[in-house]
């Protein structure tokens, strides 16, 4: 069975989001150099949210594009780790990010064609 279109679309969206996170991390480190000496927690948050979660999201998208179910689990790990790190470091809830990624995760687990595709592969 070929990879369903909804899975391809979600995979491409995740790849783009992963790349955006990595680029945002690079730009954040460049732009925040003056603030990093005053707030060391900021660099930790930027690194975790962008240089850890970003590549995990990117890899998740690539795995899903190849039809690997482990990409779904990797995405959950990336989102939860990023959200927990953000809360622990800055005491802020990044609700917008959580909602967006929760919607993507819901699509990966609840969309009929995707569920059927991974059920047939198992």
């Amino acid at each position: 069975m070929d990879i369903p279109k909804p899975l391809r679309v979600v995979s491409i969206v995740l790849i783009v989001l992963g790349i955006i996170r990595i680029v945002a991390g690079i730009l954040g480190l460049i732009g925040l150099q003056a603030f990093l000496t005053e707030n060391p927690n900021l660099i930790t948050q930027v690194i975790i949210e962008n240089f850890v979660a970003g590549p995990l999201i990117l890899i998740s998208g690539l795995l899903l594009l190849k039809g690997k179910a482990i990409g779904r689990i990797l995405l959950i790990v990336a989102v939860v780790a990023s959200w927990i790190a953000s809360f622990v470091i800055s005491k802020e809830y990044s609700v917008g990010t959580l909602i967006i990624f929760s919607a993507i995760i819901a699509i990966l687990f609840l969309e009929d064609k995707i569920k059927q595709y991974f059920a047939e592969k198992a």
Side-chain angles (χ1 to χ4, degrees):
M1 176 179 193
D2 288 338
I3 295 176
K5 265 189 184 176
L7 183 57
R8 283 189 193 155
V9 170
V10 170
S11 300
I12 292 169
V13 166
L14 288 173
I15 291 168
V16 170
L17 288 174
I19 291 170
I20 288 172
R21 279 219 165 195
I22 294 168
V23 170
I26 293 169
L27 294 175
L29 288 179
I30 292 169
L32 298 173
Q33 285 180 353
F35 296 110
L36 295 180
T37 55
E38 297 172 15
N39 190 356
N41 288 339
L42 185 61
I43 191 168
T44 307
Q45 184 174 354
V46 168
I47 288 172
I48 291 173
E49 287 186 354
N50 295 310
F51 295 120
V52 174
L56 288 176
I57 293 168
L58 176 65
I59 293 168
S60 170
L62 292 170
L63 288 171
L64 288 169
L65 193 59
K66 292 185 179 206
K68 307 289 184 188
I70 190 74
R72 299 188 301 180
I73 305 303
L74 189 60
L75 178 62
I76 293 170
V77 168
V79 171
V80 169
S82 174
W83 194 72
I84 289 172
S86 175
F87 177 71
V88 168
I89 293 168
S90 66
K91 305 292 187 246
E92 295 176 0
Y93 296 107
S94 52
V95 177
T97 302
L98 190 62
I99 291 171
I100 291 169
F101 282 106
S102 294
I104 292 172
I105 291 167
I107 290 169
L108 288 173
F109 282 93
L110 300 176
E111 207 285 327
D112 290 334
K113 290 180 183 177
I114 296 174
K115 280 188 347 187
Q116 180 183 4
Y117 175 76
F118 285 122
E120 290 178 3
K121 287 193 77 156

